[in-house]
Amino acid sequence: MATFEEAIPHILKHEGGFVNHPADPGGATNWGISLRFLKTQGLLGDYDCDGDVDIDDIRIMTEEAAKYVYLTHFWDPNGYDRIEVQDIANKVFDMSVNMGPSRAVKILQESLRDCRQDLKVDGAFGPKTLAATNNANPSMLLGAMRANQRHYYEGLIRANGKLAAFRKGWLRRAVAI
């Protein structure tokens, strides 16, 4: 079974430190955690203990705090530890962090369909999706996931030209893992 400890270095490698890019709809981020997301957590994201969640909290967020957010909001609730092949879990987890769990699972399901699995594309990581994931040929599934992830990013860029600023990093991320 896949482990968070083996998956998290891939996330941190892609996400890095503090960034406040004007084209990023999530606003300021640190370790890949956006201010927009942190605000949804209430005062749990008030790292400077000043009574509000703002850009200062993003700036001082530690790597350990980011790991905790990833474990409790992305890894554990989605059950990625039930995936048998670590690289597949790493890829789904990485996409979840970057584009949200539902979109990541839709890409997984589309990729499973590309691998001739009869599966509904609904964004839910349920027992059928888990079984299909664990029964798929890992190298074929990873190849399909990379292609579908790349296709998703290109669609985002076509829909919003400002996102072209992220093309190089997104395409690098699509072929990683």
Side-chain angles (χ1 to χ4, degrees), residues 130-143:
L130 176 63
T133 301
N134 288 337
N135 289 324
N137 175 301
S139 61
M140 286 179 60
L141 180 55
L142 276 172

Side-chain angles (χ1 to χ4, degrees), residues 84-120:
E84 292 174 1
V85 177
Q86 185 70 49
D87 282 345
I88 300 294
N90 294 351
K91 188 68 164 163
V92 176
F93 180 42
D94 183 63
M95 289 190 303
S96 292
V97 165
N98 184 248
M99 60 185 68
S102 178
R103 173 54 58 195
V105 172
K106 285 180 181 177
I107 288 175
L108 170 64
Q109 291 166 333
E110 290 165 357
S111 301
L112 287 163
R113 288 175 65 107
D114 292 345
C115 294
R116 297 192 174 94
Q117 298 278 344
D118 184 25
L119 198 64
K120 186 165 81 171

Side-chain angles (χ1 to χ4, degrees), residues 37-112:
F37 175 81
L38 200 60
K39 284 183 174 187
T40 69
Q41 304 309 300
L43 292 182
L44 293 175
D46 184 16
Y47 296 120
D48 62 7
C49 301
D50 67 352
D52 66 0
V53 177
D54 58 18
I55 197 167
D56 295 329
D57 296 296
I58 287 291
R59 276 192 182 98
I60 67 169
M61 176 188 282
T62 65
E63 181 178 332
E64 287 308 309
K67 285 180 182 180
Y68 178 77
V69 169
Y70 286 132
L71 178 65
T72 60
H73 292 280
F74 292 88
W75 184 267
D76 283 348
N78 293 299
Y80 298 144
D81 61 322
R82 299 175 297 156
I83 298 173
E84 292 174 1
V85 177
Q86 185 70 49
D87 282 345
I88 300 294
N90 294 351
K91 188 68 164 163
V92 176
F93 180 42
D94 183 63
M95 289 190 303
S96 292
V97 165
N98 184 248
M99 60 185 68
S102 178
R103 173 54 58 195
V105 172
K106 285 180 181 177
I107 288 175
L108 170 64
Q109 291 166 333
E110 290 165 357
S111 301
L112 287 163

